[in-house]
Amino acid sequence: MDNKEKFLSILERFPKHIQEAAQLGTEIKLKPFDKIVMCGMGGSGLPGELVKSVVKDVPVILVKDYTLPGFVNEHKLVFAVSYSGNTEETIDLYHQARTRKAQIVVVASGGELAELARKDGVQVVTVPPGLQPRMAFAYQTIPLLDILKVGCDWQRCAHFLESEMEQTKRESHKLAQNLGKRIPLIYSSARFFPAAYKWKIDFNENAKMHAFCNYFPEFNHNEINGYDNLNGDYVVFIIKDTDDHPRIKKRMEVVTKIIEGKGVCVIPVPSKGPDMITRLIWTIWLGDWISYHVAAELGVDPLDVPVIEALKKSLD
Ligand code: PA5
């Protein structure tokens, strides 16, 4: 099986990932906490984006850097997520969280982080190895949503995706053709930003191309000016959800007219699914599929990320 075929089989197994992921982390027990700090880089930063979008009764802070915020103490819950378990930023943050006596849960397939957690008696959600971190999205995210008691009916979610498989393949192929060789600019509401962000990193890592994302209403206050002085060949995707705030819906309509008026193609992408989390996950999966088709069209390997690997090695 070459990498293109492997990637395809991972995409087709995604509904199964959801069912399997729902079995992980069921033994994790939490003590009370007053803030959640999500640590994780790149593909392992995605669970943090989802948790931030879904958890509404406790502040959620994302850390994608080397330094924990000053407020982290024994009342904070820190998730240290690293698929390989060997990402230096996340390992650094883990050590800082230990020093500050925070409650920590590690999410990893193995590596140094899992080893440290085992030695320190820290709880671990062990995710299956052998995938690219961005393709282990369900395994890394679903257990956290369940641990935080904000998950959904995962069987229903998986069945919905299964039932949408053929249509999603066709739809994503058409969207990939609409994009062609242009640069995608992906916009969504803040709630759906995890999907916009996943589309961006899928284009970056699977199709090896530039892509950028932003969210409503924030980008209406800055980035929208860029359309006055176009410096690239772009296609705009606007991810829309039925429960978007009415003013966001209005902004999406108005902004579409403004951008189209500047001669840039705008493609609306309505989310699908029986509940908000399923709609978010389906939209993320749609982005995975689009990047697969774009990678095929560009003739690039959708799985391996040699530039990231080389960069990590040269930092050793
Ligand atoms: O998708 C990727 O390969 C990267 O974005 C990685 O997720 C990132 O470099 C962090 O590695 P890990 O997920 O192993 O912590």
Side-chain angles (χ1 to χ4, degrees):
M1 215 192 253
D2 67 14
N3 276 355
K4 187 180 166 203
E5 290 162 336
K6 274 193 208 151
F7 193 87
L8 177 62
S9 76
I10 295 168
L11 288 185
E12 289 179 334
R13 274 204 89 248
F14 187 66
K16 298 265 179 318
H17 291 192
I18 291 173
Q19 287 167 316
E20 290 161 10
Q23 311 303 318
L24 303 176
T26 48
E27 71 295 345
I28 304 287
K29 299 269 177 295
L30 295 184
K31 292 183 289 190
F33 54 88
D34 61 17
K35 281 192 182 65
I36 302 171
V37 180
M38 300 294 312
C39 307
M41 306 302 299
S44 295
L46 289 165
E49 300 289 345
L50 259 286
V51 167
K52 188 175 166 62
S53 170
V54 171
V55 171
K56 290 295 167 217
D57 54 352
V58 188
V60 178
I61 294 92
L62 306 189
V63 184
K64 301 185 182 192
D65 195 1
Y66 287 93
T67 312
L68 275 184
F71 62 71
V72 175
N73 58 20
E74 69 273 25
H75 305 299
K76 309 297 173 271
L77 171 61
V78 173
F79 285 105
V81 186
S82 168
Y83 185 72
S84 62
N86 292 323
T87 295
E88 63 176 33
E89 296 94 321
T90 316
I91 293 172
D92 264 25
L93 295 170
Y94 172 89
H95 287 303
Q96 292 165 45
R98 287 276 300 158
T99 307
R100 310 265 194 92
K101 302 192 176 353
Q103 178 178 189
I104 307 174
V105 176
V106 161
V107 181
S109 66
E112 189 178 337
L113 204 52
E115 185 52 33
L116 284 167
R118 196 191 53 75
K119 200 165 57 61
D120 296 338
V122 164
Q123 301 187 90
V124 183
V125 178
T126 305
V127 297
L131 289 165
Q132 287 288 351
R134 62 196 178 280
M135 305 316 289
F137 159 77
Y139 294 119
Q140 299 210 102
T141 304
I142 285 172
L144 304 197
L145 298 182
D146 281 346
I147 291 167
L148 295 167
K149 304 198 185 325
V150 290
C152 70
D153 179 340
W154 299 118
Q155 289 303 330
R156 184 171 77 159
C157 174
H159 288 144
F160 175 77
L161 265 59
E162 200 70 67
S163 70
E164 286 290 325
M165 179 89 70
E166 293 312 314
Q167 173 60 22
T168 304
K169 284 185 191 177
R170 283 194 292 276
E171 204 173 314
S172 57
H173 192 233
K174 198 160 157 248
L175 289 167
Q177 284 175 328
N178 290 343
L179 173 65
K181 293 205 161 64
R182 294 178 286 184
I183 303 165
L185 302 178
I186 309 131
Y187 302 131
S188 67
S189 66
R191 252 175 0 118
F192 266 64
F193 185 68
Y197 185 64
K198 179 71 157 78
W199 279 41
K200 173 201 144 47
I201 72 172
D202 278 346
F203 282 124
N204 296 154
E205 296 191 56
N206 303 338
K208 278 64 175 179
M209 61 189 284
H210 272 122
F212 302 92
C213 63
N214 210 329
Y215 58 90
F216 284 87
E218 171 58 18
F219 94 96
N220 292 177
H221 300 272
N222 36 62
E223 185 169 323
I224 190 76
N225 286 299
Y227 292 92
D228 264 352
N229 185 18
L230 282 167
N231 59 359
D233 196 4
Y234 302 113
V235 172
V236 169
F237 292 101
I238 300 187
I239 295 172
K240 298 184 169 188
D241 184 56
T242 167
D243 287 345
D244 283 335
H245 187 286
R247 296 297 293 164
I248 299 285
K249 287 185 179 171
K250 176 78 184 168
R251 282 176 182 273
M252 287 176 171
E253 276 171 33
V254 172
V255 162
T256 298
K257 287 204 185 97
I258 294 174
I259 297 176
E260 284 178 341
K262 303 290 180 184
V264 177
C265 170
V266 179
I267 303 177
V269 182
S271 66
K272 272 188 215 170
D275 57 79
M276 187 264 181
I277 294 180
T278 303
R279 294 199 297 277
L280 196 43
I281 289 181
W282 174 81
T283 311
I284 285 171
W285 191 47
L286 176 70
D288 292 338
W289 278 106
I290 298 171
S291 68
Y292 164 78
H293 294 302
V294 174
E297 188 57 34
L298 296 176
V300 299
D301 174 344
L303 266 189
D304 292 341
V305 282
V307 175
I308 296 179
E309 298 306 331
L311 169 61
K312 285 182 180 176
K313 275 210 183 75
S314 57
L315 289 166
D316 281 349

